Amino acid sequence: RAQDPQAGERIAKYCAGATDESACRSNEKAAWTRLVLQNEFPTLDEASRRKCNEPPFPLSYVANEVCARYELHLDRPLMQ
């Protein structure tokens, strides 16, 4: 809570209209854990972090995680 005091409200607000609200909350909590607690993307620079938290990206930790993966080119297959 100390690292991200609005996380619970943000997750609840984002998932409020979801078809499967329970699954949405679970996915958002898992993404929050990876992004905030585990700092899964320590090499992501501040400009990219801001970009991933602004429109057109929704207020979603899952969307932020997808954006971070894209910014770090982790979504592309490895070259062989």
Side-chain angles (χ1 to χ4, degrees):
R1 242 178 127 74
Q3 291 180 337
D4 192 353
Q6 289 84 28
E9 290 177 27
R10 183 176 172 181
I11 290 170
K13 183 177 180 179
Y14 178 74
C15 293
T19 304
D20 187 347
E21 190 172 332
S22 177
C24 178
R25 285 179 184 243
S26 179
N27 291 337
E28 286 294 307
K29 287 177 188 175
W32 176 84
T33 298
R34 290 187 297 272
L35 290 169
V36 178
L37 295 181
Q38 297 171 349
N39 193 24
E40 188 173 286
F41 306 108
T43 60
L44 190 65
D45 64 27
E46 192 56 36
S48 294
R49 286 184 196 279
R50 279 194 308 275
K51 179 180 178 182
C52 291
N53 283 298
E54 296 173 350
F57 300 102
L59 292 176
S60 161
Y61 291 99
V62 172
N64 292 163
E65 185 176 37
V66 170
C67 177
R69 287 184 176 285
Y70 176 80
E71 289 293 313
L72 294 171
H73 308 289
L74 299 174
D75 61 332
R76 298 184 182 137
L78 296 173
M79 300 297 286
Q80 297 203 13

